[in-house]
Amino acid sequence: MTKGHKLTLGLKGLWGVSNDVRELEKSADPKAAFALEYFVYRAGPLAGMLAAALSGLDAFVSTAGIGENSAMIRARNAERLGWLGVGLDPKTTTAGAQLISRKDSHVAVYVVLMIARHTLELIGGKRGHPHERAAE
């Protein structure tokens, strides 16, 4: 790369304006819609590869800026993972809950703010389906 050239990757590279998902979600620009669609598309095969490597999934965790703050991205990712038995509860995904999957979901879906500490708190060494643990 020569001096003066800058390579822009990710959402900003696809849209050309910003990598902030909040801005992308508000934009009417077709490039913004494409960037979001591609972002969700790429998450699907990666999650599928992990599910295959792990022989299934017990839970899917949304975290960090996008995972915590974008109900739309969480919903679209869950839709792409429906073949794994992922099902979101539309009421909880926008209500700030940690466990946002439906009771009949085969894979628990969480929103975790600080992944390591909260994951340990959520699973806490308990066994069984997360919705059963939540009822305790």
Side-chain angles (χ1 to χ4, degrees):
M1 186 167 12
T2 61
K3 190 175 181 176
H5 287 88
K6 183 179 176 185
L7 182 62
T8 303
L9 303 172
L11 292 170
K12 184 174 182 179
L14 292 170
W15 185 24
V17 177
S18 170
N19 66 348
D20 189 327
V21 170
R22 294 169 296 196
E23 291 181 36
L24 284 152
E25 288 177 340
K26 291 177 188 173
S27 176
D29 184 342
K31 286 184 180 178
F34 172 77
L36 290 171
E37 186 61 36
Y38 187 77
F39 180 83
V40 171
Y41 165 76
R42 290 297 302 149
L46 294 172
M49 285 189 293
L50 287 171
L54 296 169
S55 299
L57 295 177
D58 295 322
F60 188 83
V61 179
S62 292
T63 189
I66 297 171
E68 285 176 39
N69 299 309
S70 178
M72 184 272 296
I73 293 290
R74 289 193 303 270
R76 290 177 70 184
N77 280 335
E79 187 177 298
R80 295 223 16 113
L81 298 176
W83 66 274
L84 285 168
V86 172
L88 283 191
D89 180 342
K91 290 178 268 185
T92 60
T93 194
T94 58
Q98 283 188 315
L99 180 60
I100 61 171
S101 48
R102 293 188 320 249
K103 290 185 188 277
D104 66 342
S105 180
H106 295 289
V107 177
V109 182
Y110 294 98
V111 176
V112 177
L113 307 182
M114 294 175 57
I115 192 157
R117 186 182 74 167
H118 289 294
T119 299
L120 289 174
E121 289 173 7
L122 283 171
I123 61 173
K126 295 181 180 179
R127 302 269 182 219
H129 195 278
H131 288 289
E132 293 167 359
R133 292 195 309 259
E136 293 175 353

